[in-house]
Amino acid sequence: MASPAVPPMHRDLDFNGPLSDERAARLIHSLGPLKGHHVVDLGCGWAELLLRTLSTEPTATGFGIDLGEENIRHGRVGATARGLADRVELEVGDAGEWRGEPCDVVFNVGATHVWGGDPVTHTGNALTALADLTRSGGRALFGECYWKRPPTEEEITAMAVVPRDQYRSLPDLVDFALSHGFRLYSLSEATVDEWDHFENGNAWSVEDWIRDNPRSPDFEEVIRRTDTHRRLRLHGRDVLGFAYLPLLRA
Ligand SMILES: C[S@@+](CC[C@H](N)C(=O)[O-])C[C@H]1O[C@@H](n2cnc3c(N)ncnc32)[C@H](O)[C@@H]1O
């Protein structure tokens, strides 16, 4: 299916993930003093967290990369509107292929899949890349799913697209992160309310498209994808968490 013209998620959402304004501000604070620092966001979406970070420190610079052209277009509009265009570069591209010198701050939030491979390797691939790309004494902000409790067979079957071994418990996720050469600076997890806000905003744009395009050749496929995602959302509600780990590079 060619991409149907579903309205972009940023129509209804500030972040492409379960993140409130308050938590975003706390996460930015957890990055420490940013004077003169360079912040890289791999899989930045429309770069809202990166732009908010740069807005807190006039000497900080940033770079964000995402495969989504519309995401980057919207991010650039936001950068210009906030007077950040001369301090941030937003690029359409494959973050998994991006190479650079180790920098002060690196984000990878909800985007471990950018390095490709089997889903069960995504967390490890991301942490290995973050360790390579964060300078000693720098910080990485890692956002990843975890199991709040072991999922039942029925939940795994109903969620359909999530292999059990893709995620860990929260303590195991933290230990796994630390085994890649980091210290845990702080820990924060998305609430069910943040998830609902994110998933509702995601659903509205698709449901509006479904309402308005009953004769589209993409109609059945969009319905199928949307129903699959709704099952994941509902059967994962009690079991799938999302953690934000501000990490210190040893
Ligand atoms: C769940 S979103 C998270 C976006 C952002 N980090 C945030 O928290 O708002 C995942 C993002 O990864 C991007 N993505 C997927 N594969 C990618 C790749 N190989 N390189 C760059 N971006 C990629 C998608 O376009 C999407 O914007």
Side-chain angles (χ1 to χ4, degrees):
M1 178 178 75
S3 291
V6 173
M9 290 167 69
H10 59 69
R11 188 193 75 172
D12 300 302
L13 290 168
D14 285 338
F15 299 101
N16 190 350
L19 181 59
S20 62
D21 292 339
E22 294 74 19
R23 191 179 312 284
R26 284 201 297 273
L27 290 173
I28 292 167
H29 183 68
S30 76
L31 301 174
L34 290 167
K35 195 165 189 232
H37 281 188
H38 188 58
V39 185
V40 167
D41 191 343
L42 302 168
C44 64
W46 52 89
E48 179 65 23
L49 190 61
L50 177 61
L51 297 183
R52 290 193 190 193
T53 302
L54 298 180
S55 294
T56 67
E57 172 48 61
T59 63
T61 56
F63 170 79
I65 181 168
D66 197 278
L67 270 188
E69 288 184 22
E70 170 56 26
N71 285 340
I72 293 299
R73 188 203 62 75
H74 187 65
R76 287 175 181 157
V77 169
T80 300
R82 296 172 215 197
L84 297 170
D86 59 342
R87 290 199 280 129
V88 66
E89 186 188 349
L90 299 176
E91 180 178 305
V92 177
D94 185 347
E97 296 292 319
W98 187 77
R99 300 285 177 273
E101 291 297 310
C103 44
D104 304 306
V105 182
V106 186
F107 294 171
N108 177 245
V109 177
T112 59
H113 52 295
V114 306
W115 288 277
D118 188 306
V120 302
T121 70
H122 284 179
T123 310
N125 292 343
L127 288 166
T128 299
L130 288 182
D132 285 346
L133 294 169
T134 310
R135 70 163 170 78
S136 179
R139 296 181 196 220
L141 175 59
F142 185 51
E144 173 63 315
C145 291
Y146 67 92
W147 295 126
K148 295 188 210 174
R149 59 166 168 74
T152 64
E153 279 311 315
E154 291 74 19
E155 285 166 334
I156 286 288
T157 304
M159 285 190 276
V161 290
V162 182
R164 177 188 294 277
D165 293 341
Q166 183 171 357
Y167 301 128
R168 294 160 174 76
S169 69
L170 187 54
D172 286 349
L173 174 63
V174 171
D175 285 346
F176 194 46
L178 303 196
S179 75
H180 285 75
F182 292 102
R183 301 283 306 166
L184 182 68
Y185 194 65
S186 56
L187 168 66
S188 158
E189 53 186 304
T191 62
V192 169
D193 193 49
E194 286 171 303
W195 273 108
D196 281 345
H197 178 73
F198 169 51
E199 295 290 2
N200 292 339
N202 190 357
W204 289 333
S205 55
V206 183
E207 294 299 337
D208 287 350
W209 185 92
I210 290 170
R211 179 197 62 209
D212 296 338
N213 294 275
R215 293 190 177 74
S216 166
D218 297 329
F219 184 80
E220 293 303 329
E221 179 59 13
V222 173
I223 292 272
R224 188 193 66 74
R225 285 190 198 179
T226 305
D227 289 351
T228 300
H229 188 77
R230 189 188 61 252
R231 278 192 290 277
L232 167 65
R233 171 188 177 185
L234 291 174
H235 290 277
R237 189 178 177 84
D238 293 334
V239 69
L240 194 59
F242 192 86
Y244 296 92
L245 307 182
L247 301 167
L248 276 171
R249 183 76 174 100

